[in-house]
mmCIF file of all heavy atoms in Angstrom:
data_model
loop_
_atom_site.group_PDB
_atom_site.id
_atom_site.type_symbol
_atom_site.label_atom_id
_atom_site.label_comp_id
_atom_site.label_asym_id
_atom_site.label_seq_id
_atom_site.Cartn_x
_atom_site.Cartn_y
_atom_site.Cartn_z
ATOM 1 N N CYS A 352 230.171 46.991 87.040
ATOM 2 C CA CYS A 352 228.784 46.669 87.381
ATOM 3 C C CYS A 352 227.860 47.182 86.274
ATOM 4 O O CYS A 352 227.905 48.360 85.927
ATOM 5 C CB CYS A 352 228.407 47.284 88.718
ATOM 6 S SG CYS A 352 226.648 47.095 89.086
ATOM 7 N N GLY A 353 227.057 46.287 85.754
ATOM 8 C CA GLY A 353 226.135 46.668 84.679
ATOM 9 C C GLY A 353 225.034 47.593 85.156
ATOM 10 O O GLY A 353 224.411 48.293 84.360
ATOM 11 N N ALA A 354 224.806 47.628 86.485
ATOM 12 C CA ALA A 354 223.701 48.441 87.006
ATOM 13 C C ALA A 354 224.163 49.828 87.442
ATOM 14 O O ALA A 354 223.528 50.826 87.116
ATOM 15 C CB ALA A 354 223.041 47.714 88.173
ATOM 16 N N CYS A 355 225.278 49.909 88.189
ATOM 17 C CA CYS A 355 225.657 51.212 88.761
ATOM 18 C C CYS A 355 227.001 51.734 88.239
ATOM 19 O O CYS A 355 227.465 52.781 88.675
ATOM 20 C CB CYS A 355 225.677 51.143 90.284
ATOM 21 S SG CYS A 355 227.081 50.228 90.946
ATOM 22 N N GLU A 356 227.649 51.021 87.308
ATOM 23 C CA GLU A 356 228.922 51.436 86.693
ATOM 24 C C GLU A 356 230.104 51.383 87.656
ATOM 25 O O GLU A 356 231.196 51.849 87.334
ATOM 26 C CB GLU A 356 228.841 52.857 86.086
ATOM 27 C CG GLU A 356 227.735 53.078 85.104
ATOM 28 C CD GLU A 356 227.829 52.182 83.887
ATOM 29 O OE1 GLU A 356 228.939 51.831 83.491
ATOM 30 O OE2 GLU A 356 226.770 51.819 83.355
ATOM 31 N N LYS A 357 229.871 50.853 88.878
ATOM 32 C CA LYS A 357 231.003 50.759 89.813
ATOM 33 C C LYS A 357 232.065 49.851 89.196
ATOM 34 O O LYS A 357 231.738 48.886 88.504
ATOM 35 C CB LYS A 357 230.526 50.177 91.141
ATOM 36 C CG LYS A 357 231.564 50.329 92.255
ATOM 37 C CD LYS A 357 231.071 49.705 93.548
ATOM 38 C CE LYS A 357 230.125 50.583 94.312
ATOM 39 N NZ LYS A 357 230.671 51.527 95.216
ATOM 40 N N CYS A 370 227.954 42.990 92.745
ATOM 41 C CA CYS A 370 228.124 44.357 93.237
ATOM 42 C C CYS A 370 227.232 44.578 94.457
ATOM 43 O O CYS A 370 226.184 43.954 94.595
ATOM 44 C CB CYS A 370 227.761 45.338 92.121
ATOM 45 S SG CYS A 370 227.897 47.062 92.595
ATOM 46 N N GLU A 371 227.668 45.516 95.314
ATOM 47 C CA GLU A 371 226.861 45.789 96.517
ATOM 48 C C GLU A 371 225.480 46.355 96.186
ATOM 49 O O GLU A 371 224.553 46.278 96.980
ATOM 50 C CB GLU A 371 227.608 46.716 97.484
ATOM 51 C CG GLU A 371 228.072 48.005 96.848
ATOM 52 C CD GLU A 371 229.288 48.614 97.565
ATOM 53 O OE1 GLU A 371 230.148 47.842 98.047
ATOM 54 O OE2 GLU A 371 229.348 49.843 97.628
ATOM 55 N N CYS A 372 225.352 46.906 94.952
ATOM 56 C CA CYS A 372 224.040 47.429 94.547
ATOM 57 C C CYS A 372 223.095 46.303 94.109
ATOM 58 O O CYS A 372 221.935 46.553 93.799
ATOM 59 C CB CYS A 372 224.189 48.446 93.421
ATOM 60 S SG CYS A 372 224.350 47.719 91.783
ATOM 61 N N GLY A 373 223.627 45.079 94.045
ATOM 62 C CA GLY A 373 222.805 43.959 93.599
ATOM 63 C C GLY A 373 223.037 43.619 92.139
ATOM 64 O O GLY A 373 222.635 42.566 91.656
ATOM 65 N N GLY A 374 223.721 44.520 91.427
ATOM 66 C CA GLY A 374 224.018 44.283 90.006
ATOM 67 C C GLY A 374 225.112 43.237 89.845
ATOM 68 O O GLY A 374 225.769 42.841 90.812
ATOM 69 N N VAL A 375 225.314 42.831 88.598
ATOM 70 C CA VAL A 375 226.319 41.796 88.320
ATOM 71 C C VAL A 375 227.536 42.446 87.659
ATOM 72 O O VAL A 375 227.408 43.308 86.785
ATOM 73 C CB VAL A 375 225.715 40.722 87.372
ATOM 74 C CG1 VAL A 375 226.773 39.678 87.022
ATOM 75 C CG2 VAL A 375 224.504 40.084 88.012
ATOM 76 N N PHE A 376 228.714 42.040 88.131
ATOM 77 C CA PHE A 376 229.942 42.551 87.516
ATOM 78 C C PHE A 376 230.218 41.841 86.203
ATOM 79 O O PHE A 376 230.134 40.625 86.103
ATOM 80 C CB PHE A 376 231.135 42.326 88.456
ATOM 81 C CG PHE A 376 231.245 43.376 89.525
ATOM 82 C CD1 PHE A 376 231.318 43.005 90.853
ATOM 83 C CD2 PHE A 376 231.302 44.711 89.191
ATOM 84 C CE1 PHE A 376 231.441 43.968 91.846
ATOM 85 C CE2 PHE A 376 231.427 45.684 90.176
ATOM 86 C CZ PHE A 376 231.495 45.308 91.509
HETATM 87 ZN ZN1 ZN B 5 226.501 48.118 91.151
#
Side-chain angles (χ1 to χ4, degrees):
C352 173
C355 73
E356 306 299 329
K357 193 182 280 273
C370 179
E371 54 205 35
C372 82
V375 177
F376 278 126

